[in-house]
Every structure is written in structure tokens, then in C-alpha cells.
Amino acid sequence: MIKNFRHKGLEQFFNTGNKSGIQPHHAMKLKVQLTAMHAAESPDDLRAPVSWRLHQLTGDLAGFWSLTVNGNWRVIFKFDDNDIELVDYLDYH
């Protein structure tokens, strides 16, 4: 289950469907990804589809996991036991 967000626009989209805080053309994919994340209990639950390119981050973002949204846009997050926290949405390249 998603416990909390770092990105307020993504949190608003997750809770209400309001696209004002995200890239509108990412809405469909973000909805699918956030729904899967909310149901996930481990990273293995997010390994499919392969196009999401789930992987752990290193360096300043060590401990975070990343899912590809589109182009350089990613959703990053941490697992806390069986929950997901600190969900962020960013262009990090």
C-alpha cells in the first residue's frame, strides 16, 4: 500500500484524478503504475511489465526504486516492509 508521497501533484492525482500537478499525457500510465504500487507488497510485484524498467537507484537516491513513466520521467519510491513510501515523480536525467 502507498503510505505517503513526496510529490504533492502526484498525490492529488492518485487521490482525486486531478491532472493539474502532473504531465497530462502521463495520466493513463501513472494511474496503472500507482494502482499496481498500491497493491504491491514487494518489488517483485512490480517487475511486469518489463517496459516499466523497475530497478534500484544508487548514489544520492540509494534505497529508492524507480519505474519508467515516459522518456526521462520516473516514479521513484521506497519500500518500508510491505508498504511503499516517499513516492516522487520527476525528470531525473
Side-chain angles (χ1 to χ4, degrees), residues 7-67:
H7 192 282
K8 297 303 175 194
L10 189 62
E11 181 177 21
Q12 180 179 341
F13 174 70
F14 179 70
N15 290 326
T16 69
N18 184 321
K19 300 175 194 173
S20 64
I22 64 166
Q23 297 288 317
H25 59 281
H26 293 166
M28 179 90 64
K29 190 164 189 180
L30 284 170
K31 181 175 182 162
V32 172
Q33 288 177 329
L34 291 170
T35 299
M37 290 167 62
H38 197 57
E41 294 182 356
S42 75
D44 287 337
D45 294 337
L46 299 172
R47 295 220 180 267
V50 176
S51 65
W52 290 1
R53 299 185 196 118
L54 174 71
H55 63 280
Q56 282 188 291
L57 300 176
T58 58
D60 292 343
L61 295 173
F64 279 86
W65 290 83
S66 173
L67 291 177

